Amino acid sequence: MTADAKQYAADAVGARRDRLIELSHRIHTHPELAFEEERASAWVAEALTVAGFEVEHGCYGLPTAVRATAGTGPLHIGICAEYDALPDMGHACGHNIIAAAAVGAGAALAGLADDLGLTVTVLGTPAEEGGGGKILMLERGAFEGMDAAMMVHPGAVEMAAMPGLAVSQFEISYRGKPAHAGAYPQHGVNAADAMTVAQVAVGLLRQQTGPDDRISGIVTEAGTAANIIPDASRGGWIVRSSTLECLSRLKQRVQNCFDAGALATGCELTTTPISLDYADLRPDATMLDMYRANAEALGRVFPDLSGGSPGGAATDMGNVSHVVPTIHPMLGLDCLPAVNHQPEFTAACITQAADKAVLDGATAMAWTAIDLARA
């Protein structure tokens, strides 16, 4: 039965080949930012409706979230789709591939669900790139009752388990006082200087952080004219560490750097979270073994990464993995030196390798769900 079910699933993905690739390319061509994925979420909902799912578009208080369910079996499998893009770069993280692969896996399982004793739920999850859509959906019950959750994600190389750090994202703003920079600088309070002090402090702090710690940021505002003491500065910052506990300690050390900027200049400091903290990703070993075997059966190759693998990425799927057995494997696009969050990777996400990743990711996830049903 398992072999027959897997052949059925593979045939179901194959029969939808052109539609799945077209969906991936359409989402790629029309990038939408976090919580603004109106077209992408509608296209995913429409494709799942055609595949026989009961679909709710706009749920859990999120207009661009999707919930689609097929089957009524006791084993509940969740498959996550993402579809938000990056500012100025479009789909430089390949969420178009994730969405199409999730639709394909769901469609492959819909006709098998009751025979296999499965309930299959495909969740369209907005705002992974800052916003934490899955965290909000998790808190609001989207993953309640699930026995397993899975998704695939494109990358430069194939990986069964993505090393996922815990991450915190926040905005820093300083408020000072303007003054004529030549005639009366002594009457100003320089908000740009406050940000500079903080950046220097963060740069020095990096010497004393751990190997899994990451601190990155940009300045988005620091004055409007060279002859005016800047009365406002603003920036976006991201802090990453190996676990939520380590993240909490590192965040405080980074906050001290921003406090120093305020203290040194006399500016008023405001720290505003951009989203809830992302937890470290904890993949389920049994599911990983199943997925890897299935991916290899499709001809996908997992290179030896013992010499080092990307270790600084993060995902809101990490929070799900603390509650539900989860996998988040990476589909290699064979595109080095292009890597995620580069314009070259945006281009790589609609190549033949990317299209094959959609189909292989869909099939491998469907086969993994079948293995779970027969375990």
Side-chain angles (χ1 to χ4, degrees):
M1 175 61 181
T2 300
D4 291 343
K6 286 189 173 182
Q7 186 60 57
Y8 177 97
D11 291 345
V13 172
R16 293 169 172 81
R17 176 188 184 280
D18 291 346
R19 281 174 283 171
L20 294 172
I21 291 172
E22 191 275 334
L23 174 63
S24 172
H25 286 221
R26 197 184 339 158
I27 293 173
H28 187 279
T29 302
H30 301 282
E32 299 166 297
L33 301 181
F35 295 120
E36 299 175 4
E37 316 94 329
E38 295 178 3
R39 289 177 294 189
S41 62
W43 294 332
V44 166
E46 179 184 14
L48 291 166
T49 300
V50 171
F53 282 77
E54 294 185 9
V55 178
E56 185 179 0
H57 182 204
C59 45
Y60 306 107
L62 303 173
T64 58
V66 175
R67 182 182 181 90
T69 303
T72 57
L75 184 67
H76 193 173
I77 305 293
I79 302 170
C80 289
E82 296 175 357
Y83 30 63
D84 60 320
L86 288 160
D88 301 322
M89 283 192 186
H91 280 288
C93 213
H95 291 190
N96 56 301
I97 295 171
I98 300 171
V103 169
L109 291 168
L112 294 167
D114 286 329
D115 288 341
L116 291 171
L118 292 176
T119 296
V120 179
T121 297
V122 179
L123 291 175
T125 62
E128 190 278 333
E129 297 286 0
K134 291 186 196 64
I135 305 173
L136 298 173
M137 293 175 71
L138 178 68
E139 291 181 342
R140 297 168 188 179
F143 294 88
E144 187 174 344
M146 286 188 183
D147 299 293
M150 63 181 74
M151 61 174 285
V152 289
H153 197 301
V157 296
E158 204 88 7
M159 285 190 288
M162 183 191 84
L165 299 180
V167 64
S168 181
Q169 305 177 65
F170 50 91
E171 183 181 82
I172 292 293
S173 62
Y174 290 103
R175 176 61 63 182
K177 182 180 179 181
H180 194 292
Y184 304 105
Q186 69 273 20
H187 294 301
V189 178
N190 197 315
D193 285 353
M195 188 68 78
T196 299
V197 170
Q199 286 182 290
V200 171
V202 168
L204 294 172
L205 172 64
R206 289 190 179 103
Q207 279 191 324
Q208 278 73 51
T209 56
D212 292 324
D213 294 338
R214 306 282 192 277
I215 310 167
S216 59
I218 60 169
V219 177
T220 56
E221 179 186 353
T224 57
N227 62 349
I228 302 174
I229 298 295
D231 66 334
S233 64
R234 190 181 309 273
W237 290 81
I238 300 178
V239 178
R240 307 171 194 259
S241 196
S242 56
T243 65
L244 285 171
E245 293 76 17
C246 293
L247 178 67
S248 178
R249 292 192 291 270
L250 181 61
K251 280 172 61 179
Q252 184 56 58
R253 298 177 72 189
V254 173
Q255 184 63 49
N256 291 343
C257 295
F258 291 108
D259 291 343
L263 179 63
T265 60
C267 287
E268 178 183 341
L269 167 65
T270 302
T271 303
T272 306
I274 293 174
S275 72
L276 297 170
D277 289 350
Y278 289 18
D280 47 298
L281 183 63
R282 299 178 180 178
D284 181 82
T286 300
M287 289 173 64
L288 272 185
D289 289 343
M290 291 176 176
Y291 174 87
R292 178 164 182 158
N294 287 319
E296 289 175 335
L298 291 167
R300 303 197 71 84
V301 177
F302 294 82
D304 181 6
L305 298 175
S306 57
S309 62
T315 171
D316 54 3
M317 195 71 165
N319 299 68
V320 178
S321 75
H322 285 233
V323 178
V324 180
T326 296
I327 57 171
H328 185 288
M330 304 293 286
L331 296 161
L333 302 187
D334 192 25
C335 60
L336 288 172
V339 295
N340 301 60
H341 292 208
Q342 291 182 333
E344 295 82 1
F345 195 81
T346 305
C349 287
I350 50 170
T351 59
Q352 287 186 350
D355 296 344
K356 188 175 189 301
V358 168
L359 304 176
D360 287 349
T363 304
M365 284 195 290
W367 284 2
T368 301
I370 292 167
D371 288 338
L372 288 169
R374 294 304 178 206

